[in-house]
Amino acid sequence: MADYEQEQEMELEALQAILMDDIKEIDLSESGIDTRARCFEILISPQDDDFDEAARVPVQMALIFAHTEKYPDEPPLVNVKSIRGIKPEDLTSLKEKLDQEATENLGMAMVYTLLDSAKDWLTEKYGKNAGDREPEEIEEPAEEVIIPHGEAVTVESFMAWRERFEAELALQRAKLMPESALTTPKEKRLTGRQYFESGRHIVKGASTVAEEDDEEEEDIDFDEDFEDDEEDMLEHFLAEQTGKSTA
């Protein structure tokens, strides 16, 4: 018994030296604890680095404790109360949290540990930074509204459009070529550039077979003269899709 009392007295002296005016002994009737032992009250405010001591603290609570006969081998009797601005349901939650931590710290002086835990809880729940985060959470859904425009472009839709586009382009080219040019064997057929540079699209009935000297010229495939690169085709496709959506 003497050992328990001595350890409890040493803890009280340490708390009073550290907390000074923030800890005081209170009457049993003010404690809310069913005990005949001495009761003490510790004031707790949020831990804000820019806290102005001269300003009125918006929230404040008190941690009330009393040593049991065999403390610290038994948990202390603990109560919490609001001095200013703490919701009753939050106090109930904190009380349960402190009781659990007291059970986990049996065998050692733990009041200061419980005090630190309560102070961290209060700062997280009611501190300045906690208040600053709430408006952001409310405003998040209204940050950006995306309005769908046209159809979504996928690899499949682009490739399907590309096939249709090339087919239509080939058909348009075929209409510009005389029938004789289309029926000429491929190895002797004029390229698109050769055909137009020769001026034979003006003279009706001109021969569609190139001279042997012409065969030595650079053979530029007709399709290559008219084929756009993939980036230009994609721009053309997107422009077409946009036109459909606005039509």
Side-chain angles (χ1 to χ4, degrees):
M1 175 67 72
D3 291 341
Y4 288 129
E5 290 179 354
Q6 183 178 5
E7 192 165 354
Q8 293 168 14
E9 192 63 33
M10 289 175 61
E11 182 182 40
L12 284 173
E13 290 178 1
L15 290 171
Q16 289 169 341
I18 296 171
L19 302 174
M20 303 179 69
D21 293 339
D22 287 337
I23 183 173
K24 65 179 181 178
E25 186 172 356
I26 61 175
D27 189 84
L28 297 179
S29 60
E30 301 175 13
S31 67
I33 297 175
D34 184 13
T35 182
R36 294 182 179 179
R38 299 166 65 193
C39 293
F40 297 86
E41 177 184 272
I42 302 174
L43 294 179
I44 306 175
S45 301
Q47 290 179 320
D48 288 332
D49 293 336
D50 56 351
F51 172 67
D52 183 2
E53 294 183 357
R56 181 176 182 273
V57 183
V59 292
Q60 194 174 43
M61 60 170 288
L63 172 65
I64 301 170
F65 72 94
H67 289 138
T68 57
E69 185 176 351
K70 295 182 179 180
Y71 174 88
D73 289 337
E74 293 178 345
L77 300 174
V78 175
N79 191 23
V80 288
K81 73 176 183 179
S82 172
I83 302 299
R84 187 182 302 112
I86 310 296
K87 299 177 182 178
E89 57 268 27
D90 288 339
L91 290 174
T92 300
S93 175
L94 175 59
K95 174 67 164 56
E96 294 174 355
K97 171 182 171 65
L98 296 179
D99 287 342
Q100 178 63 32
E101 292 188 11
T103 301
E104 295 171 357
N105 286 276
L106 291 177
M108 63 182 71
M110 67 183 79
V111 173
Y112 195 81
T113 300
L114 299 180
L115 170 63
D116 263 351
S117 180
K119 189 173 294 186
D120 289 342
W121 175 90
L122 183 63
T123 301
E124 181 179 348
K125 196 78 174 176
Y126 290 93
K128 181 178 180 180
N129 292 335
D132 291 343
R133 288 193 297 267
E134 290 180 359
E136 295 178 0
E137 295 175 358
I138 295 174
E139 293 172 3
E140 275 181 5
E143 280 184 359
E144 181 179 1
V145 177
I146 300 176
I147 301 176
H149 184 69
E151 298 179 2
V153 178
T154 64
V155 174
E156 292 76 10
S157 65
F158 173 70
M159 294 304 295
W161 173 87
R162 178 178 177 177
E163 291 178 3
R164 292 196 305 272
F165 178 80
E166 290 180 344
E168 292 173 1
L169 192 60
L171 182 60
Q172 291 174 5
R173 288 195 229 111
K175 290 179 180 180
L176 296 175
M177 298 286 288
E179 184 177 354
S180 59
L182 296 174
T183 57
T184 302
K186 183 175 180 180
E187 61 272 11
K188 294 183 178 181
R189 189 179 305 168
L190 286 174
T191 65
R193 177 176 294 179
Q194 290 170 343
Y195 175 72
F196 283 104
E197 288 181 352
S198 68
R200 296 180 187 182
H201 62 292
I202 301 175
V203 182
K204 183 176 181 182
S207 173
T208 60
V209 181
E211 298 295 332
E212 291 183 358
D213 292 340
D214 293 337
E215 290 181 356
E216 296 179 358
E217 295 181 4
E218 181 182 1
D219 186 12
I220 302 177
D221 192 277
F222 191 82
D223 289 342
E224 293 179 359
D225 278 350
F226 287 84
E227 183 178 297
D228 294 326
D229 59 27
E230 290 188 359
E231 291 184 1
D232 290 341
M233 293 182 69
L234 179 58
E235 291 179 3
H236 186 89
F237 171 66
L238 294 175
E240 182 178 291
Q241 293 296 318
T242 303
K244 289 180 180 180
S245 64
T246 57

